[in-house]
Amino acid sequence: LWAEAAAVLFAAAPDLVNELQIEELCSALLVFKANDCSAEEWRKVQILLSDLFAKSGRQEDAVAACRRALKVTEQAPAQASIYRRMGKLYENYNQLHALGYYQQAFERFAPDDPERLDLLKDRAWLYILRQEWSSAEADLALALTQAPTGAKEQRANIYDALASLYRHQQQYTQAIQVAQNALALREEIGDPARVADSFSNLGLIYNYMGEYRYAISTYAEAMKTYHAIGNRPKIAGLLLNIGMAHHLDGQLPAAVQAYNDGLAVCQTIGLPRTEIKAHSNLAEALAELDQTAAAQEHWQAGYNLAVQAGFDEEVRYFQELQSKIPALMVIVDPENSGPLPILPAARGDELAQAEDVIIDLLKREQRITPKLLIENLHI
């Protein structure tokens, strides 16, 4: 009855995910063995497991599930879909690996496969992140050319990526135009959440242009919908964007209010990275208002949270703030009353040594785990 069991889990998966029972669903799927079901059912089990592991931040396990799915997948389009998943999994860990998997997917998708458009869009976002503008533009131009007129959501997503590309290149007129194209398509579809996302994207472009009042009014349009649908993570992020627009416009009290409102949402639902950003923004704004004690309090709270969470990039940002804002320079480490510890940037020779250790581990162990890295690299 393995086939029936799999069918029940596939049907229940969306509800279980919405009810935050991801771990329970993973445990049930891990009971399945390759010889318990057909190759197609095994492939579907592994793909679902990969998606669930990705949601839980278990990148290694998600990649391993994709590789198990590949072993039983012979058709090129199905292989392409798995390679695309692997590319997305590697985006935040190894961009060159991600691009390699995206290329494997691109070579296997048929030219008229709808998922090929999503692949081109995904790869373009990665190129934007890497500041490889011409490659990003080529992928997005090809995606737009091949996207059917009726594929409104896909076209809107492609326009979003184009808007980001033009914004990064400071081509604001083009960025506004394609962002408005995305908004128009989403209004046609009638998806309120995605319409709100489009308003938020437009606000970001206005912010970069220095048109802060336009940015704030556009953010307000998005906020109405986020409140209506109760999307608190989006509300928290948008409040910080509104605060930043006020901040850059010199309206510091309004900025502090928006930052505080965003911080309160973060603390209610548990968004550590956004909470850290709220603290750093408040430290800057309050220091500019000569509210030294409050600025120091938020700096310390954000710094401590970044250290506890292991967000090294954010830790360094707080250290940069301390070095450039006189009001924050007097803060010392409460553990030893000395200066706060500075996390050194990795030197080239240290990275080379680490790579040698990892290569030796791979030869010996065949796979790398966090435990092995901790023990052998002393991190």
Side-chain angles (χ1 to χ4, degrees), residues 185-204:
L185 286 171
R186 288 180 177 136
E187 286 177 329
E188 284 183 43
I189 296 168
D191 183 344
R194 298 298 281 143
V195 168
D197 290 343
S198 283
F199 276 118
S200 183
N201 291 340
L202 274 166
L204 192 62

Side-chain angles (χ1 to χ4, degrees), residues 74 78 131 140 207 217 233 237 333:
E74 297 180 357
Q131 299 185 13
L140 293 172
N207 213 41
S217 65
D333 187 347

Side-chain angles (χ1 to χ4, degrees), residues 122-298:
D122 291 342
R123 190 167 67 176
W125 275 112
L126 183 52
Y127 281 136
I128 292 169
L129 185 63
R130 292 173 56 81
Q131 299 185 13
E132 297 179 20
W133 313 127
S134 59
S135 296
E137 191 160 15
D139 272 356
L140 293 172
L142 179 59
L144 271 182
T145 300
Q146 297 185 349
T149 304
K152 295 178 182 177
E153 184 56 38
Q154 284 183 307
R155 294 182 71 85
N157 292 337
I158 295 166
Y159 283 134
D160 274 348
L162 265 176
S164 179
L165 172 63
Y166 290 139
R167 173 170 61 80
H168 280 89
Q169 294 178 303
Q170 299 183 6
Q171 299 177 26
Y172 297 123
T173 301
Q174 295 95 317
I176 291 289
Q177 180 180 340
V178 293
Q180 287 174 336
N181 289 345
L183 172 61
L185 286 171
R186 288 180 177 136
E187 286 177 329
E188 284 183 43
I189 296 168
D191 183 344
R194 298 298 281 143
V195 168
D197 290 343
S198 283
F199 276 118
S200 183
N201 291 340
L202 274 166
L204 192 62
I205 298 168
Y206 287 132
N207 213 41
Y208 272 84
M209 294 172 66
E211 298 285 356
Y212 304 120
R213 294 182 184 180
Y214 283 120
I216 291 165
S217 65
T218 308
Y219 287 143
E221 288 290 329
M223 187 66 80
K224 293 175 188 174
T225 300
Y226 291 147
H227 273 298
I229 63 178
N231 192 326
R232 291 191 289 176
K234 293 279 190 180
I235 290 170
L238 199 55
L239 283 166
L240 295 197
N241 285 346
I242 291 170
M244 183 58 67
H246 283 303
H247 196 157
L248 294 171
D249 197 29
Q251 307 299 316
L252 291 174
V256 168
Q257 181 64 57
Y259 291 152
N260 273 319
D261 291 344
L263 176 62
V265 177
C266 292
Q267 291 173 333
T268 300
I269 61 176
L271 293 173
R273 199 178 291 273
T274 311
E275 181 179 344
I276 289 166
K277 183 63 177 172
H279 280 303
S280 67
N281 289 355
L282 279 163
E284 289 189 72
L286 290 166
E288 290 178 46
L289 286 167
D290 293 326
Q291 297 182 28
T292 302
Q296 292 173 348
E297 181 181 333
H298 281 289

